[in-house]
Amino acid sequence: MTRIPVELGLPSKWWDEINESVQWQDGIFYSLSAAFALVSTVALIQLIRIQLRVPEYGWTTQKVFHLMNFVVNGVRAVVFGFHKEVFLFHPKVLTLVLLDLPGLLFFSAYTLLVLFWAEIYHQARSLPTDRLRTSYISVNGAIYFIQACIWVYLWMNNNSTVEFIGKIFIAVVSFLAALGFLLYGGRLFSMLRRFPIESKGRRKKLHEVGSVTAICFTCFLIRCFVVVLSAFDADASLDVLDHPVLNLIYYMLVEILPSALVLYILRKLPPKRVSAQYHPIH
């Protein structure tokens, strides 16, 4: 009977030993750095391939999407490569900036897909598309402005209440992104299913839109849930050095795997000879 409490306490002890081990911290954070660097390299290679295929076009939505993937994952790779310095920055707001800014850039990159789908849907329905890009820029501008105000306030006054508000704000932004994918990804998927002509291209597009919608909706919803949890429970915080396992699970689920899968799904290059009707992302 006296051995039962010891056995029940073993999993917790195992978890704590890993989180507090410098070797495990280094191993996990360097692994995250390598994974992000790999995804960043893939995005850069794809960007170069697209540019070589259609050099006559400027910065299309497709090129901007891959460029932002390269930047987001590259910054993450550097942050986790120098994790000891990053997590121990003073004031703490510097750590929050380096961890949260790539997340906002990730939001901007993937909501480009929402914008692209919204434009396709509106064009197919003969609806005006003029305000879509303006709305995208305005929403992103407002989000960056609010987040910058939160960072500046935390720089001047390290207030736990404002830090809590900042996490809730990130959660709301993630939830809005999930809704965007569900709304326009779902609409475009339904429209393609009702398309009268059965073809290989239609089936591929259905698979592409459905898969990307499911992946992005899930990853932003997980991000929203985990950030809210970390706001209320310090043991679930991602902004500290001694939670490497939680960081590994979180970033694998919400950024590394989704980015890798979406880049794979959208790997098709535009044709060498394109018509005037060419649309950026295929």
Side-chain angles (χ1 to χ4, degrees), residues 213-224:
T213 297
I215 291 167
C216 293
F217 172 76
T218 302
C219 86
F220 279 108
L221 207 60
I222 293 173
R223 182 191 294 271
C224 174

Side-chain angles (χ1 to χ4, degrees), residues 113-135:
L113 295 178
V114 177
L115 171 64
F116 173 69
W117 290 345
E119 288 178 336
I120 293 178
Y121 180 81
H122 279 239
Q123 288 170 0
R125 295 281 180 173
S126 299
L127 298 171
T129 61
D130 301 342
R131 296 183 179 180
L132 291 175
R133 287 182 179 266
T134 303
S135 298

